[in-house]
Amino acid sequence: MNKKIVLLLLTTAALYSCRKPKPLTIDIPQRKDEPVIASTMPDDRTLLVSAGYSLDAITNIDDSTSNSRIPKSMLIDSGMVSISEAGGTARNLTKVSAGMYATTGLQLKEGSTYTLQVADYRKGVTATATTTYMPQPTRGQVVPTYMGDKSGDTLFKLNVTIPDAQKGAHYFMGYTTTRQLRENVKLFTQSPSQNTAAIAGFEPKQIEMIQSNVTGELTQQYTLKLSPRDTLIVQVARIDEGYFKYLQTYKRTGYLINQLTGEPINLPTNIQTGYGYFAIYKPHRYVFALQKHLQ
């Protein structure tokens, strides 16, 4: 994997952590061969898309260890993924590995409508989704404060302030650490095509949903368990209501990998003939060396 791809994976920053999915225990089937698509924008010029399939819940996949392997038939590895503005020319994403596609250097227009198209040449299946590029919120303050050690954990309070919030607007705050990102890249480069732990490592876990109930300054507080040696990366973005509801449900149910392996949970979706959600937004990113915040 070349340096540019590793850098791209590292920039998937604040939405990602390295938790392993729990083994599935529910035995209710879903329809087969329905595309499952997820997207994230680690910054305003980079788009990362995962694309695979949903299988029957009776499919026996042991995803409890890092050596678990996803059948190749579950991953779209012979196809095309593109994004286009309404009335504009499509821009193709580059295949990073089976089921993972990315592009950098995007120049999206706030408030404009964009369509994602995923085509699997091998199965002759196509899925599309259309969404609006959400504007970047006014940059606020994100401040980590050391709270002490408890039961072996180092606790930090994270204050997140969004100025000029609009009542009813939807936001999310996501965070990770550089240590977690290095672990994700290590997993991904070890078995980029079919390692379930690697795929699960590139999914949003550490996220908080924020719906503004005021017009003006909005402040939220969170307690985080972190190592003082970590570098904390925080992302704050405004999102549309549909993606907000998707992430709410996603956070309750766990993992995209559970959808891929047949978890019988219906998440909100804007994918035609498929599952998942296509969302594009312009985040603010904040980086903190926690050692400097121990006072």
Side-chain angles (χ1 to χ4, degrees):
M1 180 172 289
N2 62 40
K3 293 182 179 179
K4 290 184 178 179
I5 293 301
V6 171
L7 179 61
L8 170 64
L9 297 180
L10 284 171
T11 64
T12 57
L15 281 180
Y16 300 103
S17 67
C18 191
R19 288 169 48 188
K20 298 177 184 178
K22 298 178 181 179
L24 302 177
T25 57
I26 302 175
D27 190 28
I28 303 175
Q30 283 187 337
R31 290 178 297 171
K32 298 181 70 172
D33 290 346
E34 292 283 0
V36 180
I37 297 168
S39 68
T40 188
M41 290 195 70
D43 57 59
D44 61 348
R45 298 173 68 84
T46 304
L47 175 65
L48 183 68
V49 173
S50 65
Y53 286 99
S54 173
L55 293 183
D56 287 338
I58 58 175
T59 301
N60 182 18
I61 297 177
D62 176 12
D63 59 3
S64 61
T65 72
S66 62
N67 293 321
S68 301
R69 299 181 68 81
I70 301 174
K72 191 173 182 180
S73 61
M74 291 180 63
L75 302 171
I76 296 179
D77 67 340
S78 178
M80 178 273 296
V81 177
S82 67
I83 182 174
S84 60
E85 185 179 4
T89 302
R91 178 191 183 102
N92 291 342
L93 279 66
T94 300
K95 186 175 78 170
V96 178
S97 72
M100 299 288 285
Y101 297 80
T103 187
T104 60
L106 288 172
Q107 294 182 327
L108 305 181
K109 302 174 185 176
E110 294 182 3
S112 292
T113 299
Y114 292 86
T115 296
L116 181 76
Q117 179 170 322
V118 177
D120 185 345
Y121 298 148
R122 180 166 50 86
K123 293 190 175 184
V125 174
T126 300
T128 62
T130 299
T131 194
T132 300
Y133 183 47
M134 295 299 293
Q136 191 176 42
T138 302
R139 188 175 183 87
Q141 287 188 325
V142 176
V143 181
T145 304
Y146 175 62
M147 297 177 62
D149 296 337
K150 184 177 181 181
S151 301
D153 294 318
T154 302
L155 303 181
F156 286 84
K157 179 175 66 176
L158 189 68
N159 283 288
V160 178
T161 300
I162 302 174
D164 303 325
Q166 300 178 21
K167 189 172 183 179
H170 301 86
Y171 305 87
F172 78 78
M173 184 280 292
Y175 68 94
T176 191
T177 66
T178 52
R179 174 174 50 84
Q180 290 171 327
L181 289 174
R182 286 193 297 268
E183 291 172 355
N184 289 347
V185 171
K186 181 179 179 181
L187 277 174
F188 197 82
T189 54
Q190 283 175 345
S191 182
S193 296
Q194 295 174 278
N195 189 310
T196 58
I199 299 295
F202 286 91
E203 296 189 275
K205 301 294 189 309
Q206 298 172 150
I207 55 177
E208 299 290 344
M209 303 294 99
I210 306 170
Q211 182 171 5
S212 177
N213 57 2
V214 299
T215 297
E217 186 174 279
L218 174 66
T219 300
Q220 300 285 306
Q221 290 186 348
Y222 307 97
T223 300
L224 312 182
K225 297 179 182 180
L226 300 166
S227 167
R229 297 185 298 275
D230 281 337
T231 296
L232 176 67
I233 305 170
V234 179
Q235 185 183 62
V236 179
R238 182 174 177 181
I239 56 178
D240 63 42
E241 184 177 5
Y243 191 48
F244 181 87
K245 292 180 178 178
Y246 171 81
L247 289 177
Q248 274 188 321
T249 309
Y250 183 101
K251 187 177 178 181
R252 289 196 300 268
T253 58
Y255 307 91
L256 170 66
I257 197 68
N258 283 0
Q259 284 193 80
L260 288 174
T261 53
E263 180 78 16
I265 298 169
N266 293 320
L267 277 71
T269 182
N270 65 348
I271 309 295
Q272 296 185 29
T273 63
Y275 303 102
Y277 208 95
F278 170 51
I280 47 178
Y281 43 83
K282 190 173 184 178
H284 285 299
R285 295 180 67 228
Y286 307 81
V287 181
F288 306 97
L290 294 178
Q291 195 70 35
K292 298 179 180 179
H293 295 267
L294 294 179
Q295 301 299 325

